[in-house]
Amino acid sequence: MEPIYNLFLYFVGDTCAEVGYVVHTFEGTDEEAGKLLHACLEEDLVSATRLRLKQSFTHERLIAGHRMGNGHHLFDEVFELTGAGPQPMMLVTEVEHGRPRVNYQSGTGPLDMKDVDEKLGAFGVMDDWLAKYTTNHGIDLPQLIHDDYFLAIKATFNARLYVSSMKLLLSCIDSLSYIEFGDVQGNFSRWLDGYADLTKLGITSEELWEMRNGIVHMTNVHSRRVRRGTVRRISFGVNAPEAGLWSAPDGIFFFNFHGLIKVVGDAIVRWLSAHAGDVEWFATFISRYDETVSDSRVAVSGVLRPTTPADSCP
């Protein structure tokens, strides 16, 4: 005989702060135990003992936990309270407004996103970046970021499409800043100040942010603050000095583009190293990285068709 658990995660909006549980004593196979828990779900939902968690969690954090295969650790308090063994049999159900909300069922191992897409009827098939970049040594985040960002940055740079390449590099910093801090004001400069050594180039994160605002939005270097004269106008050149700035007669200060690519690459190494082994940071990374789009992660539909003129540019 062993204890098996019907667990209920009570969500208010996007947050779960309470877990309900009913413990059954059962002897039989895992399949039989699962059938029993399903059969008792409605009754157990009514009679479940509720436990307020010391630490609430969001739905995104739960999904990230499922992606890593350890989502159930978010409510380990239940198992500690009831004296469960190291691998308790459980059925976990999300609850909102007193009713179960279920659109997919899985085991407690890492979430199989291909299976999720198939069962939920997603259009096309897309590689799961987390599975693709998982190796015997862990998750290869440097290679992931290289493939998703720097392949295109280097391709456009080497093709002498320097403005396009710079836009991609600045967008990369935008993405990494969002992953680190979320959608908050100042995250671009905050990420650079924390991990990048811009002194080599003779510029500041504030100046680069204003250049970014001009280039990304208007393809010029005249942001509003630059026009008002509160921030120095900077731009970039491929023939500018490797260190420091080159001043043009019109008052624009140029830094070396290739130097910035190297500075950002070094910053990424520092950023990832600073969070090595931090499970909570990695859960946040997964949640926010799942929102990104990339040339290396495209959905392939089940119907293949020949390339048409609409698929290419003249």
Side-chain angles (χ1 to χ4, degrees):
M1 304 291 285
E2 65 172 325
I4 60 175
Y5 292 78
N6 246 333
L7 300 175
F8 304 96
L9 309 181
Y10 302 106
F11 276 89
V12 178
D14 190 50
T15 302
C16 176
E18 280 190 298
V19 176
Y21 65 93
V22 175
V23 185
H24 297 272
T25 302
F26 180 78
E27 184 174 9
T29 65
D30 287 350
E31 182 179 357
E32 292 169 337
K35 289 180 179 179
L36 173 64
L37 292 173
H38 275 96
C40 298
L41 191 145
E42 292 287 345
E43 180 181 343
D44 287 351
L45 178 57
V46 175
S47 62
T49 301
R50 295 176 74 130
L51 172 67
R52 188 157 194 86
L53 297 170
K54 296 176 183 176
Q55 180 68 50
S56 62
F57 55 85
T58 64
H59 190 258
E60 278 123 4
R61 176 63 182 88
L62 178 65
I63 296 300
H66 289 330
R67 299 267 278 130
M68 295 185 290
N70 59 17
H72 53 287
H73 290 320
L74 292 170
F75 39 88
D76 270 346
E77 291 173 56
V78 171
F79 306 125
E80 294 170 3
L81 181 66
T82 59
Q87 293 182 313
M89 175 71 182
M90 71 188 86
L91 175 64
V92 182
T93 305
E94 296 180 25
V95 179
E96 187 174 35
H97 302 305
R99 300 300 303 165
R101 63 177 193 188
V102 179
N103 63 358
Y104 178 76
Q105 296 181 17
S106 71
T108 55
L111 200 57
D112 184 343
M113 296 306 295
K114 182 178 180 180
D115 186 63
V116 173
D117 290 342
E118 289 177 355
K119 289 185 177 177
L120 296 184
F123 180 78
V125 178
M126 181 184 297
D127 284 340
D128 177 10
W129 66 266
L130 187 55
K132 180 179 179 180
Y133 289 90
T134 296
T135 71
N136 293 333
H137 306 289
I139 312 299
D140 193 348
L141 296 183
Q143 190 64 49
L144 167 69
I145 293 172
H146 173 269
D147 292 352
D148 279 359
Y149 296 100
F150 279 80
L151 281 179
I153 292 168
K154 291 189 292 185
T156 47
F157 185 93
N158 291 334
R160 298 185 178 183
L161 303 173
Y162 299 122
V163 174
S164 295
S165 185
M166 177 58 77
K167 287 183 177 183
L168 291 172
L169 180 59
L170 295 170
S171 180
C172 171
I173 300 172
D174 277 332
S175 296
L176 302 183
S177 303
Y178 169 74
I179 290 168
E180 176 73 355
F181 300 113
D183 186 14
V184 296
Q185 188 173 5
N187 56 8
F188 183 96
S189 293
R190 187 177 171 189
W191 188 88
L192 287 171
D193 289 340
Y195 303 104
D197 183 8
L198 293 174
T199 59
K200 297 178 179 179
L201 304 176
I203 62 176
T204 68
S205 62
E206 182 184 32
E207 291 168 345
L208 191 61
W209 168 251
E210 292 305 321
M211 192 195 82
R212 170 250 184 232
N213 292 339
I215 287 182
V216 171
H217 295 300
M218 302 174 290
T219 317
N220 65 42
V221 294
H222 310 293
S223 74
R224 292 173 182 172
R225 293 186 65 196
V226 165
R227 288 183 185 278
R228 290 198 299 264
T230 58
V231 176
R232 183 173 58 172
R233 180 181 286 108
I234 64 170
S235 188
F236 60 93
V238 294
N239 294 320
E242 186 72 19
L245 292 169
W246 175 70
S247 177
D250 58 3
I252 300 179
F253 293 86
F254 290 82
F255 64 87
N256 186 279
F257 185 3
H258 189 257
L260 180 62
I261 293 175
K262 292 193 292 184
V263 164
V264 173
D266 290 342
I268 291 171
V269 173
R270 293 191 195 97
W271 174 53
L272 296 178
S273 298
H275 296 294
D278 187 336
V279 175
E280 282 305 312
W281 176 85
F282 187 54
T284 300
F285 182 98
I286 290 175
S287 296
R288 292 173 179 164
Y289 209 88
D290 274 346
E291 299 173 354
T292 65
V293 294
S294 165
D295 290 330
S296 62
R297 284 181 282 127
V298 294
V300 180
S301 67
V303 179
L304 298 179
R305 57 186 175 82
T307 300
T308 65
D311 298 318
S312 59
C313 294

